[in-house]
Amino acid sequence: MIRNAAVFCASASGTDPVYKAVAEELGHALATRDIGVVYGGANVGLMQAVAQAALAANGRVIGVIPEILVDREVAHTGLTELHITNTMHTRKAMMGERADAFIVLPGGFGTLEELFEVLTWHMLKLHSKPILLLNINGFYDQLVAFLDHCVAEGMLKPKAREILIVADSVQDILLKLDLIPMPQDKFDGKLL
Ligand code: AMP
């Protein structure tokens, strides 16, 4: 059983209210299953929505934010734990270390960067933690199609493509998480 899940998501809320609603649904669902939320520590956008919903359900929320973003993204001061790191790299290494699984909600460059970083770490066998894309509203349809295109063009190995698990609802995420054995690796970011 997963103890902590890292949630990567936007610092914006998006135009359609469904994004915020699903972010809240995820935060609530993780908390009620006693799965701690590890996230970027911000008090804005979908990140705030996940954290608030998990806290409201008495969940554990661990924020990890680099010093440079403390003001810009308004570090959340009501979390179970807030870690302020010197750099973006140490932040991401710490999030990777603390999480047993990665869940990716809609987002922009920051979210995509985090997604591709954990995918490449997995591909390089630096960790074996599950990576789940929550494809709300078909938000990531084109990205998933593009990855299949990468495979068809011989740029991405089918085995590597399989690392990314695509889910279309919070229920689907929970179901898929239940089927995945707890990763045993102690990823400590030292190999990065
Ligand atoms: P975005 O999806 O662009 O709204 O970004 C979501 C969050 O990802 C940002 O607010 C940052 O906290 C985080 N993030 C992670 N890696 C980076 C990076 N290399 N540059 C900028 N933001 C990043």
Side-chain angles (χ1 to χ4, degrees):
M1 183 65 186
I2 300 291
R3 281 272 306 146
N4 294 304
V7 178
F8 298 144
C9 60
S11 51
S13 298
T15 46
D16 192 322
V18 73
Y19 299 121
K20 185 165 178 247
V22 175
E24 287 171 349
E25 187 188 343
L26 178 68
H28 183 272
L30 293 174
T32 53
R33 292 187 152 221
D34 198 25
I35 298 173
V37 173
V38 179
Y39 88 115
N43 208 2
V44 291
L46 296 188
M47 292 199 269
Q48 177 191 44
V50 174
Q52 282 309 118
L55 289 170
N58 291 319
R60 283 173 289 115
V61 183
I62 301 147
V64 189
I65 193 163
E67 215 164 347
I68 190 178
L69 291 183
V70 166
D71 293 331
R72 207 183 310 165
E73 293 191 346
V74 198
H76 198 306
T77 51
L79 305 174
T80 319
E81 290 175 36
L82 178 69
H83 301 274
I84 299 173
T85 63
N86 289 331
T87 68
M88 187 67 87
H89 287 295
T90 43
R91 171 214 229 175
K92 289 185 292 188
M94 187 183 228
M95 289 174 78
E97 219 173 291
R98 296 294 292 265
D100 306 310
F102 303 97
I103 302 172
V104 184
L105 293 175
F109 278 167
T111 304
L112 294 171
E113 198 257 0
E114 290 169 325
L115 166 65
F116 282 104
E117 189 162 54
V118 292
L119 283 171
T120 50
W121 288 347
H122 196 300
M123 191 175 75
L124 297 173
K125 300 197 191 312
L126 294 178
H127 74 89
S128 62
K129 301 175 183 187
I131 303 165
L132 301 105
L133 189 70
L134 181 37
N135 189 20
I136 303 165
N137 226 8
F139 180 83
Y140 281 121
D141 284 355
Q142 289 97 330
L143 180 73
V144 173
F146 180 69
L147 294 180
D148 292 337
H149 171 70
C150 293
V151 173
E153 294 298 307
M155 296 293 174
L156 179 66
K157 291 196 174 80
K159 264 260 167 278
R161 164 65 188 84
E162 282 167 22
I163 296 168
L164 184 64
I165 302 163
V166 183
D168 57 15
S169 66
V170 171
Q171 269 320 309
D172 195 17
I173 290 270
L174 296 175
L175 253 163
K176 288 181 162 123
L177 273 182
D178 276 347
L179 298 176
I180 299 165
M182 171 83 174
Q184 293 305 314
D185 52 287
K186 265 251 86 29
F187 170 75
D188 60 11
K190 283 205 186 92
L191 290 170
L192 298 175

